[in-house]
Each structure stands twice: as structure tokens, then as C-alpha cells.
Amino acid sequence: MRLLRNDTFEVYLSSRGTVESLFMADDPARMNWVIDSKYEQEAGYANEDKHFGQWHAVVDDEQIESANLKPDIQVVDDMATVTFAHDKLKVQYEYLLNNSGEWKWKIRCSNPSAQAVRINGFHSWFSLAYIMFRDHDVLRNIKHSCAVFPHLGGDFSKFAAVRRSNEAPHLAIYSTGERVAAFGTYCSYVNRFLEQVSPSLDGMLYHRLSFVEDGSSLEHSADSDWIYGDYAPVTLEPSEEREWSFIFTTFKDQEDFYQKAKEYGHPHWNYSFVTTTEGKFIAEVEMPEQEALQSVKMYSVTDEMGTVKETDITNEFKIRSEAKSKRLRAVLPLKSAGEIKLVAELNNGKCDVLVGNVLEPVHKILEERAEWLCNNSFNTASVTRPYSVLPLSNQGESLGKLSFILMKNLLSPPVPAQVRKVELSAYFDLRQHWFENGDFMLPKPLYGSFYRIYDFDYIGHVYYLLSKFDKSYLYNGSPEMYLTWAAQVMCMRLDPACHRNKREKEESKLVGVFILYIADLLEDLNKRALTYWYNKLNQLWLELVRGLQQGAQGYQGAVTEHFYDNAGFGLTFEALCLAGLTAEAEIYAPLMIANIGYSNDYRANAPDRWWEALSFMTHSLWGGLVAGAARSSYEVIGDTRLLEAGYRATMAMFNCYDWNVYSTTRRLKPGEAASTYSIAAPNLNMPELSRNRFGQSIFKKSSDPLFSSLFSNIEGDDWDMGEELVAYLLGFGSTTYLYTDSEGELRCVNGLIEPAERGWEITSYAAYPARYVMLEKGLSFVSTTGENVKSVLFIDGKFEEQHSRVN
């Protein structure tokens, strides 16, 4: 090992020229920010060819790998030069730790031969510590692992590596040389599916930078990816050289990450992650010192054939005279739904890229979804499982579609046929499939020797939502009956004494999706004088909360069968807020903030998860639930970072439903959906998933034999979906927020704020707008029950209604 150091970093290089350890000098946790061989050996992985700094290239159709070359390593003071020589390609790394506290990494490739060479790919492993440690010591996962949020496109790639505890310092990497062509991942994991039933994996992602990429790493995905799809080989003439360079430095938080980016010549964007055709897309940009905005062009796809439209919007960017900074701002009314790409050219000739999306009005997406489900996803009475919802599954996640249909019908004029289909499924299939003879005290062991406690959260939700309908919409039971059924299911679910096996007793103490409705269920039981069930359920709820409270100091809510899991700490955070335990909730708040991405591409603003796609991804269900937890908890904690993160993540989740997206191989028809979107490109485990949408059925052809056998009978792409839309409807589906930012400006989340003749006009993007909130001033406006209020005025620090109701 060779040590390079300055006041900020300690870098240890191996004899192969790879970075084996990267420490921050003042980090009390002594986190290694790259994947090293010690942990690989401990966990049983063998990926020495993917350590930070290993590279491979395709030159004149020949595969060249650094692992097969002997490097020459020269160290002078705090700079190391690592040279790899091949007849057709010379690669040189320069690692410089200077006195300014930075680490500079330069990558040069040149043609040492007498003939021109064609490079189809040149890729370097960039293996930061994106690890799920196989360890129930939750602090190891929190303090020694990071999420990595990429910003790609143009000449200003950057990467925020955020410690999962959200304890600074974090690691920032800024590109200062030629552009990066792609950012991919490879996942090493252990498939523990049979041990714990749910798709439980532990592993790590090896990140890869592509300096040259002709699209061959991405299979067919590159053909669909009009946003980043300008992949091309590079020809080097004799002695010709290319150079890429990066600065590694530390940062405190999201704001500091972007402030430091400006210091290295990067523009800083604020933008509407997603807007609707009823609103306006807003983009604000701050230029680095000595630079100016030369031009901005907007690109969008206008038809199924992939025709790209170019529009010059340079003149739309105006200096904000009322702002304290020198931000340029464009407000763009975009009436066509679909993704957009903004390409900004600076006066130095470099370009930056911003990727956003324009949705159909969200109520239209939800109504199309409900109609599609009712037309395509319900069995009839004449099949093996009468009235069941498709795709068939033993797991309760599949029932989220039923809850969504009911919730949508509660917030908009009910469609009786839709409510009827759900009631038939709830009355017959849910009772008979999950319980012995329909007895809620006797769950069926659908998983061989046991049953999943979490399944009952979804079942109870369906029964509770049925109880909210007027009896004129119900045929098989009354509202009171369904309310009682919901209480019975949840009392069985939460009571350890109701379960025989150790597994089920332990899982009964864990929080789950029931957090979305437990408070309302208790309130309705109390209102309807169902005293026995109210008292019993309330006692069980308080016992569960006490357990969450006691385990908060040790982050026990962050541990599920996936070890460290946002499904655990997201809902635990929300439960503690719901119970008013703000001190304990604030312990989990940093984990939430560190978990949700921020990027120049709206699709990468998702909660960090990887095991469905074997890459970082958007998962509709858990992405939406974590986003919902961040939003609802903001109303208790008051941290605007939670509000903004929750909104970013919610809007990224809609990519799984959006039929106007043309940048993926998997296209959707109105009302269709796919449960997962793989953000990375390339996804090196399954290249066809690169920036693509998919569902469980994709694993039928997985190279993992366990996956391929487990999913052999799965059909459809939308298995575990629905509850995330309920979380949306409970929050951003009806509520728009105002707050004052650090510069004293009013900000609007989930809507548009514009100057009015008096004060400000606030236009909501919510599907069924009924509530406007400014938490910092304790202000709220709530419409009369059943009425949608599309816009309000904010005058002299108060909300005022204007005549723009939509019934």
C-alpha cells in the first residue's frame, strides 16, 4: 500500500494502482469511502477487477483490461502517477493530493501506435462505498455506507456521495475535464430469498464511469434513450490524447454541494422536477464566476416515432430583479405532456443539461389508471380464485391496487362499478385466500410454514376504505361491518399473542403500511361507538409505539429483513411523528434526507434502493411510501428539506405510470404501469434494464437461477403497486405548500406561485386540490368537503379564496 495524504484526505493505493481506501482526515467514524478488498473477502465477494481505478477498453474490437497489465507506479511527494501500457492504448492515472484539501484525479488515454485506433468503449470503475453490509449492527450501515446521486449530461458531471447517517462531511466529485459519456453500475449480492421469502438481498453496487461509450453496454436501451443517447466511438490518431479530470472534496449538505460546484465552474440549477400541462415549468440558473449564459435550447419528443423537437428558449431567461442572487429565471407554459431536456451553453463553449417532465393533469393519470385496472385486472367468479386481482400473488403488496381504486373514488365522484369490483374482491378473495374459512383470527400459512404479518396491513386498508363509502355503494356488507373487519384484522396483526411462531410474533411489533390509516381507523371506531374494538386497537397501537420509542436510540426501526432498509426507517419515522414523539422521530429524519436523491435529472430524485433492479432505481411502492413519509413528517418536524425531498421523490415515482415517456424501451399505454424504473445506464447486471421500466416478470430470464425459478409464473409489470398512490392522495394529491427559503423568497411546492394584482396567486398541481399550507406561519386553507379549489390568493400573509373552484 502507498499512502497519499493532505489535510483532508488519506488515499491508499494498491500495487495494481487501484484506490483501496479513501479516508477523511477528521472523520471520527473513519469511513472508507471506496469499496475495498477487506470487506469483499469478509462478505464472500470476488470483484478485484472492479476496484476503484481498474479500467477496461474496447480498441479496434480488442478487449483490453487493466487487470491484465502491469502498471508502472511513480510517487513524488503527494502525487502518484500510474501508467498502463498496451500496444494500442496507453492509459495514465494521476492522483494529486494538494495543499488546498482537494484530491485531483486525472485520466489520460493516448494512442501509442503508428495507426489510428477506434475506441468503442473506455470505462473506469468508480467504486464508492455504496454497500448494504451483511450486518444487523445498523450503525455500520448508517456510518460506513453512502448513497450516490449522479448529475450527468454535458460537460458538468458531478456526484454527491452522501453518508447514510447524513452526518457531514460527505464526498463530492466534480468533473473538470472532458465529458463523461455514461454512469453505470454492477451489483454483487447474495440472494437470501428462500431464507426470508421477501426478495431479501444484501450486497453492493460498483459504479462505473464511461469516458467513451458507443452504446454497446446498454443493448436496446440506447436506441430509446433520446435524452442521453448520443453515444459514439472515438478515433484517436497516432499520439493523440484525451483527458478527463475530477476534483474530490468534502461538503456539508445539498446547498453546499451546489455552492462548491459553482466554485469549480459548474452552473447551479433550480427547476420544477415535474409540472403538469395545467402549470408552468420553471428553470432558474446561477452562473459560476466569470461565466455567462450563451444560449438555452429545449428538446422534446413529439410522437411515437421519436421525432425530437428543438426550441430556442434563450430569451425566456431573465434576471430576477427582486432576488438577492443573480439567478436567471425562465417560466415556460408547456401544454404538451412529455419529458424535456434543456441544454445550456456557456460563453466558454461548455454545455450543461437539465432533464424535467411535464405530466398530464394528475387526476387524469389516476382516473385512467383506475379504469384500466377495473377493465384488465380482476378475475370473474368462474376462476380458481374468484374475484381476485391480477397478477395473482400471495403477498399483500398486490392488494394496493384495490386501496388506490377506493381512495380515488373517495376523492372524486364515485364510479359505482369500480367500487363494486373492489368490494367483490375484498368480500370473497381476501377473506378466503388469506384466512382459514374467512376467520380473521386464523391466517393461512401461504408461505409453507408461516404467513407474512405485513400482508394484513394491505387487507385492513381495503376494508377500512370500504367502510368510508355510503351504504348505497355497497352490496355485500355495511360500512360498519367493513370498519369492524378492518379493526379485527389489525388487532390480530398487531397482537403478538395471536401468533404461534417466533417469526410472526416478532414481525407483529414492526411498523408497516398500516401507518397510512391507523389514526383514521381509530378515529372512526371511536366516532361510531365501536368501543371494544377502539380500546383494543388503541392499546395495541400504543404498545407498538412504545416499542418504536424504546428502539429509536439504536435505530432499530431502520432494520427489516433487508438489514438496513428505507421501508423500515421511512415508516418508523412517520409512525413516531404520528404519535407525537418528535424527539425520537428527529433521530430518523437525517436518514430520510440522506436517502432521497437530488439531481439535474428528475428521474434520479428517487429514494435510494437497489434490490429490485440490482441497481439504483425508482420503486413505485417503496419510493412513493418513503416520499409520503417525508412529506407527512414535514408537517410535524417542520424541516423544509423533508418537504422538498418528499416532493422530488413523489414526482419521480410517477415515471412508473407516465404514458408520455418515450425515453424507455418499455412504453406504457394510458392506465398501464410498471413497478420499477432502473435509473442507471448501463445496468451491467441486466443491460436491457438501463433507464427502463419493468416489473417482476423480467426476472424470468434472469441469470440468477433462483430468481428465474421464483418468478417463472409471474405475469405483468405492475405487481406491487397502488399504496404509493394512496400516500400521494393523502398528501400531495390534495395539498400545496408555501414556505420562505433562506434568501427570504416565497417558495411553492406542488404548485405555481405568481405575482397577482394583490399579493400572490397560488395554483395547485394536486390531483384533487383542497388544502393550502404555510407551516412556518401556522396558516392553512381547507376547502369545503368535496370541493376542489384549483387556486387561491396569498395576500398580506393570509390565504384568500378566489372564484376558481372545480367540482
Side-chain angles (χ1 to χ4, degrees):
M1 289 283 189
R2 305 193 188 204
L3 170 63
L4 304 174
R5 69 191 311 166
N6 59 17
D7 290 342
T8 305
F9 294 113
E10 299 173 12
V11 177
Y12 291 84
L13 298 181
S14 74
S15 60
R16 303 295 310 163
T18 57
V19 178
E20 292 297 313
S21 301
L22 171 61
F23 297 105
M24 295 176 183
D26 296 327
D27 178 11
R30 291 292 289 175
M31 172 178 169
N32 184 1
W33 285 85
V34 300
I35 294 173
D36 65 17
S37 56
K38 286 183 179 179
Y39 179 69
E40 285 179 325
Q41 293 167 8
E42 177 186 324
Y45 300 119
N47 288 295
E48 292 185 1
D49 60 331
K50 297 179 178 61
H51 288 192
F52 189 111
Q54 292 281 22
W55 59 267
H56 63 282
V58 181
V59 181
D60 291 340
D61 296 325
E62 180 182 351
Q63 297 280 346
I64 304 173
E65 298 186 22
S66 60
N68 298 326
L69 302 173
K70 184 176 181 180
D72 175 67
I73 302 176
Q74 301 293 326
V75 178
V76 178
D77 296 329
D78 288 320
M79 185 177 76
T81 303
V82 183
T83 305
F84 301 87
H86 184 276
D87 293 343
K88 292 187 175 180
L89 189 70
K90 177 183 176 183
V91 173
Q92 187 175 80
Y93 285 169
E94 186 178 286
Y95 301 111
L96 172 63
L97 274 74
N98 58 26
N99 293 328
S100 60
E102 304 166 335
W103 168 25
K104 294 184 179 179
W105 180 37
K106 289 186 178 180
I107 303 97
R108 298 186 182 93
C109 74
S110 59
N111 177 7
S113 71
Q115 304 294 326
V117 296
R118 176 187 172 95
I119 304 175
N120 290 84
F122 175 40
H123 318 279
S124 176
W125 290 102
F126 182 69
S127 303
L128 303 177
Y130 188 119
I131 304 169
M132 181 189 290
F133 289 103
R134 192 180 305 164
D135 195 335
H136 285 283
D137 175 6
V138 68
L139 291 178
R140 190 180 189 193
N141 276 302
I142 289 174
K143 293 181 177 292
H144 292 270
S145 177
C146 64
V148 180
F149 304 134
H151 299 64
L152 296 178
D155 299 297
F156 297 103
S157 296
K158 47 189 168 285
F159 308 90
V162 181
R163 197 188 317 245
R164 297 191 189 277
S165 66
N166 206 41
E167 293 176 331
H170 308 292
L171 181 66
I173 303 100
Y174 303 104
S175 172
T176 56
E178 291 201 30
R179 66 179 53 184
V180 175
F183 178 66
T185 59
Y186 177 84
C187 182
S188 286
Y189 64 95
V190 172
N191 195 330
R192 307 171 70 88
F193 198 103
L194 293 184
E195 296 176 43
Q196 299 169 331
V197 173
S198 144
S200 187
L201 314 175
D202 60 80
M204 61 182 73
L205 292 187
Y206 294 84
H207 298 91
R208 192 185 80 170
L209 296 178
S210 294
F211 304 123
V212 179
E213 171 62 76
D214 67 353
S216 57
S217 297
L218 294 94
E219 292 191 359
H220 302 297
S221 298
D223 297 333
S224 305
D225 187 4
W226 68 269
I227 294 174
Y228 295 112
D230 53 347
Y231 305 112
V234 168
T235 298
L236 288 184
E237 298 296 330
S239 301
E240 187 178 358
E241 181 179 272
R242 291 289 181 94
E243 180 180 296
W244 296 265
S245 58
F246 300 87
I247 297 290
F248 289 66
T249 188
T250 61
F251 71 100
K252 293 183 294 186
D253 52 27
Q254 182 178 345
E255 183 179 351
D256 189 40
F257 174 78
Y258 288 120
Q259 182 60 40
K260 287 195 171 182
K262 285 196 299 178
E263 296 172 10
Y264 295 112
H266 291 225
H268 175 209
W269 293 91
N270 278 313
Y271 68 106
S272 308
F273 316 114
V274 175
T275 186
T276 76
T277 55
E278 298 174 315
K280 296 177 182 178
F281 187 88
I282 297 176
E284 297 178 345
V285 62
E286 287 184 73
M287 288 292 107
E289 291 292 331
Q290 313 302 322
E291 298 298 340
L293 190 64
Q294 188 74 24
S295 68
V296 185
K297 293 181 179 179
M298 182 175 71
Y299 299 86
S300 59
V301 169
T302 59
D303 55 41
E304 289 278 353
M305 301 301 294
T307 306
V308 179
K309 178 183 177 182
E310 177 187 302
T311 306
D312 191 320
I313 58 171
T314 308
N315 293 334
E316 301 295 328
F317 282 84
K318 315 289 186 185
I319 293 179
R320 299 197 60 192
S321 57
E322 77 278 12
K324 295 180 181 178
S325 64
K326 296 181 180 180
R327 287 199 298 261
L328 296 168
R329 189 186 209 208
V331 180
L332 307 170
L334 302 175
K335 301 305 180 183
S336 297
E339 292 173 307
I340 57 173
K341 177 173 72 169
L342 273 60
V343 178
E345 183 177 351
L346 279 61
N347 59 353
N348 62 7
K350 290 190 173 185
C351 291
D352 202 11
V353 169
L354 189 70
V355 181
N357 194 21
V358 181
L359 289 173
E360 303 269 3
V362 182
H363 70 85
K364 181 179 178 181
I365 295 174
L366 302 180
E367 287 153 12
E368 289 276 6
R369 178 63 176 156
E371 183 178 356
W372 189 93
L373 287 170
C374 288
N375 291 337
N376 295 277
S377 296
F378 284 90
N379 273 326
T380 64
S382 60
V383 296
T384 304
R385 276 182 62 180
Y387 305 113
S388 53
V389 64
L390 301 174
L392 293 178
S393 172
N394 286 332
Q395 292 188 283
E397 286 87 335
S398 63
L399 305 178
K401 298 169 187 173
L402 305 181
S403 293
F404 156 64
I405 294 169
L406 294 176
M407 192 73 188
K408 195 276 298 182
N409 276 277
L410 287 168
L411 293 178
S412 61
V415 180
Q418 293 183 359
V419 179
R420 176 64 175 148
K421 285 206 169 188
V422 174
E423 186 187 12
L424 284 168
S425 189
Y427 189 84
F428 292 104
D429 182 59
L430 271 62
R431 290 175 67 209
Q432 298 305 319
H433 185 71
W434 271 273
F435 304 97
E436 301 285 0
N437 300 316
D439 186 341
F440 296 133
M441 293 302 295
L442 296 174
K444 286 184 183 178
L446 294 177
Y447 307 96
S449 61
F450 64 94
Y451 48 84
R452 282 176 85 229
I453 287 292
Y454 305 110
D455 292 348
F456 308 125
D457 296 10
Y458 300 90
I459 294 169
H461 202 177
V462 175
Y463 290 144
Y464 172 66
L465 291 174
L466 280 170
S467 77
K468 302 292 286 182
F469 284 87
D470 185 84
K471 61 183 179 181
S472 63
Y473 289 98
L474 304 175
Y475 290 80
N476 297 96
S478 66
E480 290 75 15
M481 185 192 82
Y482 288 123
L483 184 62
T484 303
W485 283 10
Q488 289 175 333
V489 170
M490 286 311 301
C491 284
M492 176 274 297
R493 185 263 192 240
L494 292 171
D495 189 352
C498 289
H499 311 288
R500 294 182 179 180
N501 298 330
K502 179 182 177 183
R503 177 194 176 100
E504 287 87 338
K505 286 180 180 292
E506 290 178 349
E507 287 186 351
S508 70
K509 301 173 186 177
L510 297 178
V511 72
V513 172
F514 70 83
I515 198 63
L516 295 177
Y517 62 94
I518 186 72
D520 294 333
L521 172 56
L522 285 166
E523 183 180 355
D524 286 359
L525 289 169
N526 196 30
K527 280 182 180 178
R528 297 193 192 182
L530 294 169
T531 307
Y532 171 81
W533 291 110
Y534 170 80
N535 289 336
K536 183 174 179 63
L537 183 58
N538 190 51
Q539 181 183 354
L540 291 166
W541 161 242
L542 294 176
E543 288 175 2
L544 181 133
V545 167
R546 280 194 289 272
L548 297 178
Q549 183 180 20
Q550 291 168 3
Q553 291 296 333
Y555 296 99
Q556 289 309 298
V559 180
T560 71
E561 71 261 25
H562 295 130
F563 304 122
Y564 183 76
D565 185 1
N566 60 14
F569 63 75
L571 298 186
T572 298
F573 180 44
E574 187 171 8
L576 290 167
C577 285
L578 184 63
L581 298 171
T582 55
E584 290 79 5
E586 286 174 347
I587 293 172
Y588 288 95
L591 309 189
M592 297 288 291
I593 294 166
N595 182 251
I596 296 176
Y598 46 89
S599 176
N600 63 327
D601 186 329
Y602 81 100
R603 298 170 296 182
N605 290 330
D608 176 55
R609 226 171 191 235
W610 60 269
W611 46 86
E612 301 285 348
L614 304 182
S615 179
F616 67 96
M617 65 176 188
T618 298
H619 188 261
S620 58
L621 175 63
W622 287 109
L625 290 176
V626 168
R631 180 216 58 85
S632 67
S633 301
Y634 158 74
E635 295 204 16
V636 177
I637 300 293
D639 188 334
T640 55
R641 293 177 298 174
L642 291 168
L643 176 64
E644 291 282 3
Y647 188 62
R648 290 196 306 271
T650 296
M651 294 299 100
M653 174 270 295
F654 273 107
N655 188 36
C656 295
Y657 292 91
D658 189 353
W659 59 83
N660 292 297
V661 165
Y662 295 113
S663 61
T664 69
T665 305
R666 174 71 169 95
R667 302 284 175 85
L668 299 175
K669 296 176 182 177
E672 283 188 318
S675 65
T676 312
Y677 175 76
S678 181
I679 298 169
N683 178 328
L684 293 164
N685 292 80
M686 300 183 73
E688 68 271 29
L689 300 186
S690 303
R691 291 202 185 98
N692 201 9
R693 298 180 286 205
F694 64 96
Q696 306 288 7
S697 59
I698 196 73
F699 291 107
K700 283 183 175 183
K701 56 181 181 179
S702 171
S703 59
D704 183 323
L706 185 52
F707 270 154
S708 60
S709 63
L710 286 166
F711 294 106
S712 61
N713 296 320
I714 292 291
E715 299 294 338
D717 291 336
D718 62 349
W719 169 72
D720 43 0
M721 305 182 76
E723 290 286 0
E724 73 283 0
L725 294 181
V726 176
Y728 164 79
L729 289 168
L730 290 169
F732 292 122
S734 59
T735 305
T736 295
Y737 297 87
L738 285 186
Y739 73 90
T740 308
D741 71 11
S742 59
E743 296 181 355
E745 290 188 58
L746 273 180
R747 290 285 181 180
C748 182
V749 175
N750 195 32
L752 175 69
I753 180 169
E754 294 180 295
E757 188 173 332
R758 291 180 56 233
W760 301 86
E761 181 178 25
I762 314 300
T763 302
S764 178
Y765 294 160
Y768 306 107
R771 183 170 175 254
Y772 295 79
V773 172
M774 191 174 192
L775 190 67
E776 68 197 57
K777 294 184 179 294
L779 298 174
S780 66
F781 171 90
V782 181
S783 73
T784 305
T785 302
E787 289 189 301
N788 294 331
V789 179
K790 188 65 181 172
S791 62
V792 298
L793 295 173
F794 188 71
I795 302 173
D796 297 329
K798 294 180 181 180
F799 290 112
E800 293 185 11
E801 186 175 3
Q802 57 183 348
H803 300 290
S804 58
R805 295 197 173 208
V806 181
N807 292 320

